[in-house]
Amino acid sequence: MADITTLSQQALQLLQQLISIQSFSREEDRTADLIEQTLQTHGVETHRKMNNIWAWNKYFDAAKPTILLNSHHDTVKPNSGYTRDPYDAKIEDGKLYGLGSNDAGGCLVSLIHVFLHYYNRTDLKYNFCLAATAEEEISGVNGLELIIPELGKLEFGIVGEPTEMQLAIAERGLMVLDCTAYGKAGHAAREEGENAIYKALTDIEWFRTFRFPKESEVFGPIKMSVTIINAGSQHNVVPATCTFTVDVRVTDAYRNEEVLEIIRQHVSCDVKPRSIRLKPSSIDKNHPFVQAGVALGRTTYGSPTTSDQSLLDIPSIKVGPGDSARSHMADEFIYVEEIGEGIELYIRMLNEIV
């Protein structure tokens, strides 16, 4: 079993290789190849579906609960502010530069090597399932969501995203609603028609002021924001329709389906969700893994951003090396020491329960 220093060196080398390979969402086949080959080099039996790679620990026991270790290997496209080659994984002043280094390459390679640390152990109370997945950056259907049915029963999940190794014990869900208020067209100069804008305004005011009865201990109230509105064709025609878009950030106090039902009970417009699959997620702050992190000086918080955690129906926590403020920035980087610290902290927290 390799020590932390060796694991960190191996993780850093793998991350440099991953950075050098373009892996935009839906184009991750070559990084999937590399991850698959790396695991197989360590004697791991791997499974693959499209660009998703997963594996279980060597002595998997169906009678034991299973911990999911998950992070993604796709990246966004580099923005126009880059001053260096986004695929040149150079280390300067303790920083490893490159597209995907921080989001979420550092997390991914750390979790891979945490998995390898436990892979051959025969004395574990838990199984481990490692999943290196695709399409996270676009919330695609051919990423983690595609392989969840293949992973079997999972007790809880650790989702690797850059949190400075602080503990995101809850994550907001997201629903985008397309709403349409219907009226009746008429000439603006006469008392004709029924103005759809005025009907929409009543519902928009409801979205602005309504507070859901239950509030999250971590996030407080659900946040609803009307962000787009469109109506009318010309100045002298009373509009028959008015459409508007609502951004709904759902907390762990509700399921998306419950929120949608409450909204439809209170507004008169037609409400169509683009998706209800990006669910809020959480883990009990008294969970042994969370408490192990707190004992190591980690703080708990609620994450306002979405990740693949939103696709899980199990208790889950988002934690990983790196800083979310660096995600998608020009000249993205992660500190080399963050990778070693991440591996060490993951293992120290897991050792308290496995």
Side-chain angles (χ1 to χ4, degrees), residues 126-273:
Y126 284 81
N127 301 306
F128 283 97
C129 177
L130 172 72
T133 49
E135 295 193 10
E136 190 274 346
E137 295 291 3
I138 58 170
S139 298
V141 297
N142 291 317
L144 176 60
E145 186 175 25
L146 180 69
I147 65 167
I148 285 174
E150 313 281 349
L151 304 183
K153 185 178 180 181
L154 303 169
E155 181 80 5
F156 76 97
I158 299 171
V159 177
E161 287 285 337
T163 69
E164 300 180 280
M165 290 305 293
Q166 305 305 330
L167 310 172
I169 60 171
E171 179 182 277
R172 288 186 187 270
L174 170 65
M175 282 196 303
V176 179
L177 307 178
D178 291 314
C179 303
T180 305
Y182 294 97
K184 184 179 180 181
H187 198 296
R190 297 188 291 269
E191 295 295 325
E192 291 180 351
E194 186 179 5
N195 196 317
I197 293 176
Y198 299 155
K199 295 184 72 173
L201 286 174
T202 301
D203 288 340
I204 289 170
E205 179 66 5
W206 180 85
F207 279 111
R208 189 181 74 85
T209 59
F210 183 76
R211 287 182 75 98
F212 287 82
K214 293 188 293 183
E215 296 192 357
S216 166
E217 182 181 342
V218 178
F219 293 113
I222 288 174
K223 181 174 174 54
M224 299 190 292
S225 303
V226 177
T227 53
I228 302 171
I229 184 167
N230 288 289
S233 58
Q234 58 191 65
H235 76 89
N236 59 351
V237 177
V238 173
T241 60
C242 178
T243 62
F244 58 96
T245 301
V246 188
D247 179 291
V248 184
R249 302 290 167 155
V250 184
T251 72
D252 53 310
Y254 287 91
R255 295 181 64 83
N256 285 355
E257 294 86 349
E258 294 176 291
V259 171
L260 182 60
E261 182 180 356
I262 292 169
I263 289 170
R264 284 174 166 163
Q265 287 171 355
H266 284 83
V267 298
S268 61
C269 60
D270 181 50
V271 179
K272 292 182 179 178

Side-chain angles (χ1 to χ4, degrees), residues 69-83:
L69 306 178
N70 166 248
S71 192
H72 65 94
H73 58 100
D74 62 315
T75 74
V76 297
K77 294 182 178 180
N79 69 50
S80 59
Y82 264 81
T83 64

